[in-house]
């Protein structure tokens, strides 16, 4: 029973963060703020969804895969954001 509630809470909060991030990408005025919305909240949202999947399946194999995916997302998202900002800056994208 408690695992079901934990799974639901993690999945709902992760889904909420992903929806907020998607709305941020649509509603933000320029590239840099859209980039911020597209990198910060989805990292935490995906992590929470994966933790919810781990609570649902109760398996060490799933836990191992989830940990690897979370570490990969945490390691690659800042690098992608940095490269996107660097290329936008070099192309002359300015603040509004």
């Amino acid at each position: 029973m408690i695992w079901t509630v934990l799974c639901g809470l993690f999945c709902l909060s992760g889904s909420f963060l992903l929806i907020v991030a998607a709305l941020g990408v649509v509603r933000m005025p320029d590239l840099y703020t859209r980039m911020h919305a597209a990198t910060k909240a989805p990292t935490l949202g995906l992590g929470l969804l994966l933790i919810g999947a781990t609570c649902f399946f109760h398996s060490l194999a799933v836990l191992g895969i989830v940990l690897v995916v979370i570490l990969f997302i945490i390691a690659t998202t800042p690098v992608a954001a940095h490269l996107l900002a660097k290329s936008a800056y070099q192309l002359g994208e300015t603040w509004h």
Side-chain angles (χ1 to χ4, degrees):
M1 176 70 181
I2 189 74
W3 291 107
T4 306
V5 172
L6 280 176
C7 174
L9 287 175
F10 281 127
C11 289
L12 282 174
S13 58
S15 299
F16 174 75
L17 284 173
L18 289 173
I19 289 171
V20 167
L23 289 174
V25 168
V26 172
R27 301 279 305 187
M28 293 294 170
D30 62 350
L31 174 79
Y32 297 107
T33 54
R34 287 180 185 159
M35 182 183 61
H36 180 77
T39 56
K40 304 300 180 200
T43 301
L44 182 59
L46 181 61
L48 289 172
L49 281 175
L50 290 171
I51 291 170
T54 304
C55 291
F56 181 77
F57 287 111
H58 300 290
S59 172
L60 286 177
V62 172
L63 177 64
I65 293 170
V66 163
L67 288 177
V68 168
V69 170
I70 288 174
L71 288 175
F72 180 76
I73 294 297
I74 289 172
T76 59
T77 301
V79 174
H82 173 74
L83 290 175
L84 183 62
K86 183 179 176 182
S87 65
Y89 178 75
Q90 287 176 349
L91 290 175
E93 179 70 27
T94 60
W95 297 91
H96 285 111

